[in-house]
Amino acid sequence: MYAIVTLAAGLLFGLGLAFSEMTNPTVVLGFLDIFGEWNPSLIIVMASAITVGMIGYAVKRKRMAPMLASKWQVPTLRHIDSKLIIGSSLFGIGWGISGYCPGPGLTALVNNPSEGFYFVAALIVGSGLHYFQTRITQK
């Protein structure tokens, strides 16, 4: 059942990305270009995501555990540190340069393979570097 719900959630997420045109880097870059040809249409996407998140936290407050797991898995860190600032800055810069974030970037492997390949390769290399850097600093 867990695998079916996970697959359904992934499909719903992918359909939402496609329907909202978050998989189109031109639309995303148009949204990020607030001093040029700004395209405010993705505000609806953000508002929808925030609403879903708020509903999720409301459900969490009312239930002791999720329906298909033994406990909730919610981030516990609440402080802002250099890792958070640097990581979110790198994410934002990469998103602003390419028009892709990880979810839509994976869809680019099908929609726009030449760009998608480079994006996903950079995503894998960056994730690998972070993984090995974390392993080294923990020893």
Side-chain angles (χ1 to χ4, degrees):
M1 183 55 108
Y2 183 81
I4 292 170
V5 171
T6 301
L7 176 64
L11 287 173
L12 182 62
F13 179 69
L15 286 171
L17 289 175
F19 182 74
S20 66
E21 293 195 67
M22 284 289 293
T23 59
N24 182 349
T26 306
V27 172
V28 174
L29 292 173
F31 175 72
L32 297 173
D33 186 11
I34 58 174
F35 297 113
E37 302 270 333
W38 187 52
N39 178 355
S41 64
L42 295 184
I43 289 175
I44 296 168
V45 176
M46 287 187 193
S48 299
I50 291 168
T51 302
V52 169
M54 289 172 64
I55 291 169
Y57 275 101
V59 168
K60 180 193 172 293
R61 279 193 295 275
K62 293 183 191 271
R63 297 185 55 91
M64 294 297 290
M67 291 171 28
L68 300 175
S70 60
K71 65 177 185 166
W72 292 103
Q73 295 183 14
V74 179
T76 56
L77 295 178
R78 297 186 182 270
H79 65 279
I80 297 174
D81 60 4
S82 60
K83 289 181 181 181
L84 177 64
I85 292 170
I86 293 168
S88 57
S89 297
L90 288 173
F91 179 90
I93 290 167
W95 192 32
I97 290 171
S98 68
Y100 291 118
C101 64
L106 291 174
T107 67
L109 289 172
V110 175
N111 299 340
N112 190 354
S114 60
E115 281 185 18
F117 172 78
Y118 293 113
F119 178 83
V120 172
L123 179 67
I124 291 169
V125 168
S127 296
L129 288 172
H130 175 265
Y131 173 79
F132 289 116
Q133 182 269 335
T134 303
R135 299 266 316 222
I136 289 169
T137 56
Q138 288 179 351
K139 288 184 178 181

